[in-house]
Structures are given as structure tokens and as C-alpha cells.
Amino acid sequence: MFKFLKNKIGKFFKLIFNIWFLYLIFFSFLAYLFLNPSGCSYPIKYSLGNLDPRFEISQEDTFNILANAEKIWEDSMGIDIFEYDPKGKLKINFVFDERQQLNIDIKKAEKKIEQSESSVKKVTTLHDDLLVLYNQKLSAYDISLKDYKQQMDTYNQKVDYWNNKGGAPSVIYDELNSQRSNLGIVYDQLSYQEQVLNELLGKVNASVDVTNLTIDRYNTHVDSFNQEFGGAREFDQGDYLSNTINIYEYRTMSDLTLVIAHEMGHALGLNHVDDPYSLMYYLMEKQDLNNIKLSKDDIQALKQRCRIK
């Protein structure tokens, strides 16, 4: 009797355990579906939240950027994935902090580099123009000097000839005096040309010094910029959390489009991919800002996440 009762109680507890275990599996499965849905509910409706005026971007430009970011996903897939709605749950905020301030500092540094580069071009052009002018005048001077020497040699030969003859006839004497006078004028002209050349050469040499100094200043600005701002940047320009995309920094409209499109991918439930040229790569480094589009890895990740064929 005791033995039979013990067996009945054992079966009862075993049945209770099996039922409890099935419930546990069932609710675990529901939790998995809830936390890891097998598909996506789209279009995802989004709206513009806070737009800090310190970003210095108009609402019109912002809406155009949002539309372009949305288009990147939809053009590649051929379906409406996102939709702007003033009441949309997915909020996109522009949050100004030290990151955008850094971009402002970068733009100032870039402007300084551009000014230095412009100065280099100006002084280089001035140097090149002076050098061309100097070479032209030097060439003309050399030709004149050669002609002068030839005339001088001819004159000296005639003088020597008539001196050996004991003197020249008056007609020849007057002719030689005229030649000597003309040669004196040519000599004075050559002396003036030489003076102009020396002054011009001084300007050329001074322009070399100015050019080198300006180039050194430019290189210093570039080196300082690279040390302070160079290198690839991670996608902390924005983030996505709980139906909210926060944008923290951008430099250009294309840059901003890429950041928003990247965070929209996270809003779809996508993680980072391994291809550095992909929109969903974790670094903003090798993507083509002039032609932003989904890579094969981006498309494959979206298809798997949202079960799109």
C-alpha cells in the first residue's frame, strides 16, 4: 500500500514537472520572437525631433537630407522602408556637443590651410613670372653682349691695322671715331641691362626665400591639422537607442547623409558588417560620399534581418 502510494505521487510530480518545462519552453520561445523578430515591420515612420540651431542647418535642408538617407535604403531594395511622419515614433535629434564643436574647429583649421595654400600659389606664381622675365632679359642681354664683343673685336682690329700703318686717313679716322662712339653707347646700354638683370635677380632670389617660407608655413599647418584631426573616425557621429537617432556631428551634407543612413540601418535592427566600403561598417573611412549606396553586405544583412527575398 505504501509502495503503491509512493509510485502514484512520483508520477504526479513528474507530470507537473513536464507541464512546467513545456510552459518554460513556450514562453522562452515567445520571448525570443519578441526580442529577435524574424521580420521587419515597415515602413518605419520617423520624425524630426530636436534640431539644435548651433548646427547651422535649416529645416528644409534637414528634411532633404533625411529624404536622401531614406532613399539610399529604398532605391537598393525597391520597397518603402522608411516614411516621414510628424508623429513618427522614430525620432531623429540633432544634439550639439563637443563633437560638432570639434568639426567647427576642423573647418577653421581647413580654412587656414586653404589660405596658406592660396598664399603658396600666389608667391609661386610671382616667383615663376619673375624667373621667366629674368631669363628673357638675360637671353636678350647675352645676344647684345655677344654682338658688342664682335663689333669691339672688329673695331680693335681696324685700329691696330691703321696704327701699324702709322695712322689712318682722315676719312677712316672719322669712321673709327664714329664706331667708337657707337660702341660706347652700346656699352652704356649693356651696363644698364646688367644693372636691371642684377636687380631682377635679387627679386628672384627674394621670391625664392618668400616661397620657401610660405611653403614651410603651409606644411606646418598641414602637419598640425593631421596630428590633431587626422585618422579615421568611428561612427560616434550618431547613435540609435530605443526609437531615437541622435546626430552629434557632421562636416558636409554628404557626411550627414551617410551618418543618418547608417543609424537608420541600426533602427532596422542591423548590426555592423565587415566590409569597410559598406554603409553599415563601423568606421566612416572608405565609403564613397559622392555616391552613397548599399553594398552587397548591407543588402544581405537587411534581407536576413527582414526576411526579404
Side-chain angles (χ1 to χ4, degrees), residues 9-28:
I9 293 174
K11 287 183 179 181
F12 175 75
F13 279 109
K14 186 176 182 181
L15 178 63
I16 293 297
F17 175 79
N18 288 337
I19 294 173
W20 176 83
F21 184 71
L22 289 174
Y23 269 107
L24 180 63
I25 293 175
F26 177 72
F27 283 110
S28 296

Side-chain angles (χ1 to χ4, degrees), residues 7 10 31 33 39 42 58 80 106-108 116 123 132-133 146 174 180 190 204 210 249 264 270 276 283 307:
N7 189 38
L33 290 178
Y42 50 80
S58 67
D80 291 333
I106 288 175
K107 287 180 180 180
K108 289 180 180 178
S116 293
V123 297
V132 168
L133 181 61
K146 182 179 180 181
D174 291 341
R180 184 178 63 182
L190 286 171
V204 170
V210 172
E249 62 155 317
M264 280 180 164
L270 303 185
L283 281 180
R307 301 187 68 177

Side-chain angles (χ1 to χ4, degrees), residues 69-288:
E70 172 186 339
K71 195 170 182 287
I72 292 170
W73 288 99
E74 296 174 345
D75 283 356
S76 297
M77 304 307 300
I79 55 177
D80 291 333
I81 300 177
F82 293 96
E83 178 183 328
Y84 178 78
D85 184 339
K87 297 181 180 180
K89 291 184 178 180
L90 176 60
K91 293 289 183 183
I92 300 178
N93 301 312
F94 285 69
V95 181
F96 190 95
D97 61 13
E98 69 279 357
R99 282 166 280 195
Q100 186 61 19
Q101 184 59 54
L102 176 63
N103 271 329
I104 293 174
D105 295 339
I106 288 175
K107 287 180 180 180
K108 289 180 180 178
E110 286 176 335
K111 188 174 182 180
K112 186 179 293 185
I113 290 175
E114 289 173 2
Q115 291 173 342
S116 293
E117 186 176 7
S118 177
S119 297
V120 169
K121 289 180 180 178
K122 287 180 180 178
V123 297
T124 301
T125 300
L126 177 62
H127 166 74
D128 292 344
D129 291 343
L130 285 172
L131 188 59
V132 168
L133 181 61
Y134 173 79
N135 287 329
Q136 289 174 345
K137 289 187 175 296
L138 179 62
S139 178
Y141 173 81
D142 288 340
I143 293 173
S144 297
L145 181 62
K146 182 179 180 181
D147 184 58
Y148 169 77
K149 287 181 177 180
Q150 288 176 347
Q151 292 183 45
M152 196 66 187
D153 288 343
T154 302
Y155 170 80
N156 288 330
Q157 287 174 6
K158 289 181 180 180
V159 170
D160 290 342
Y161 174 79
W162 289 110
N163 284 338
N164 291 332
K165 288 283 189 178
S170 59
V171 175
I172 300 297
Y173 181 81
D174 291 341
E175 181 182 326
L176 288 173
N177 278 337
S178 177
Q179 289 180 1
R180 184 178 63 182
S181 177
N182 290 334
L183 285 170
I185 294 173
V186 173
Y187 177 82
D188 290 341
Q189 291 175 342
L190 286 171
S191 297
Y192 176 74
Q193 286 180 320
E194 184 178 0
Q195 180 182 349
V196 170
L197 278 171
N198 288 333
E199 291 176 355
L200 192 55
L201 181 60
K203 291 180 180 180
V204 170
N205 292 333
S207 71
V208 170
D209 294 337
V210 172
T211 300
N212 290 336
L213 181 63
T214 307
I215 290 174
D216 288 343
R217 188 179 297 116
Y218 169 78
N219 290 334
T220 299
H221 288 154
V222 172
D223 290 341
S224 298
F225 180 89
N226 290 334
Q227 290 175 10
E228 188 171 0
F229 306 116
R233 293 174 290 157
E234 293 191 19
F235 267 104
D236 58 357
Q237 292 176 273
D239 59 31
Y240 167 76
L241 182 64
S242 300
N243 281 328
T244 300
I245 291 176
N246 289 323
I247 302 300
Y248 301 109
E249 62 155 317
Y250 69 91
R251 297 183 61 193
T252 64
M253 295 298 104
S254 297
D255 183 26
L256 177 57
T257 302
L258 178 62
V259 175
I260 292 177
H262 178 93
E263 299 307 331
M264 280 180 164
H266 287 314
L268 285 167
L270 303 185
N271 295 318
H272 291 142
V273 299
D274 295 330
D275 179 11
Y277 295 94
S278 295
L279 176 65
M280 293 309 298
Y281 188 62
Y282 80 103
L283 281 180
M284 178 182 167
E285 184 177 18
K286 295 185 178 181
Q287 296 88 348
D288 185 0

